[in-house]
Amino acid sequence: QVQLVESGGGLVQPGGSLRLSCAASGFSFSAYAMSWYRQAPGKERELVATITSAGVRTKYADSVKGRFTVSRDDAKNTVSLQMNSLKPEDTAVYYCNAQRYTTYWGQGTQVTVSS
C-alpha cells in the first residue's frame, strides 16, 4: 500500500534547526512531485515547499524562503526538509505530500518552535 511517513519533528528553540524526512513506499516515487505542507492550529493548510520529479525545480513559500531547503533522494524514496532559523510562527504539523495524477498524504509530524 501507499505510505508516506514523516519523521524528525520535535521541539526546538527560536533560531534553531530541524530536518524533517519523509519515507515513501507503494508508488513510483521518482515520477511524483513531492511537497511539504504545514498546518497550524486554527489556520488552513499551507504549502511550504515543493520539489518536482527528478528534482528539476524547487519552490518555497515566501515565509520560509531562504530558511528552508527541500531535497529528494529518489534512490531511497525520501524527501527532506531542512529548516533553519526557525521562528515561533513555523510551529505546525508538517505533512509530506506526493502529487502526480493521484495525491498522497503522510500522517504529519509536529514541529514546535518555542523558548
Side-chain angles (χ1 to χ4, degrees), residues 12-20 38 63-69 81-87 90 94 113:
V12 65
Q13 293 183 337
S17 297
L18 283 175
R19 185 176 180 87
L20 305 183
R38 67 187 181 187
S63 59
V64 308
K65 198 171 298 181
R67 300 188 297 121
F68 291 11
T69 303
L81 185 68
Q82 178 66 46
M83 305 185 295
N84 299 326
S85 302
L86 283 161
K87 304 174 180 180
D90 295 319
Y94 283 71
V113 185

Side-chain angles (χ1 to χ4, degrees), residues 44-104:
E44 293 197 358
R45 190 168 296 187
E46 172 190 21
L47 176 60
V48 176
T50 296
I51 183 164
T52 61
S53 61
V56 174
R57 295 187 185 94
T58 56
K59 291 184 63 177
Y60 299 93
D62 287 342
S63 59
V64 308
K65 198 171 298 181
R67 300 188 297 121
F68 291 11
T69 303
V70 64
S71 60
R72 67 190 297 157
D73 185 341
D74 287 346
K76 296 182 177 180
N77 285 9
T78 60
V79 61
S80 297
L81 185 68
Q82 178 66 46
M83 305 185 295
N84 299 326
S85 302
L86 283 161
K87 304 174 180 180
E89 50 262 47
D90 295 319
T91 295
V93 177
Y94 283 71
Y95 297 91
C96 182
N97 167 276
Q99 177 72 54
R100 196 184 183 212
Y101 308 117
T102 306
T103 300
Y104 305 117

Side-chain angles (χ1 to χ4, degrees), residues 26-32 100:
F27 65 100
S28 299
F29 178 84
S30 62
Y32 281 69
R100 196 184 183 212

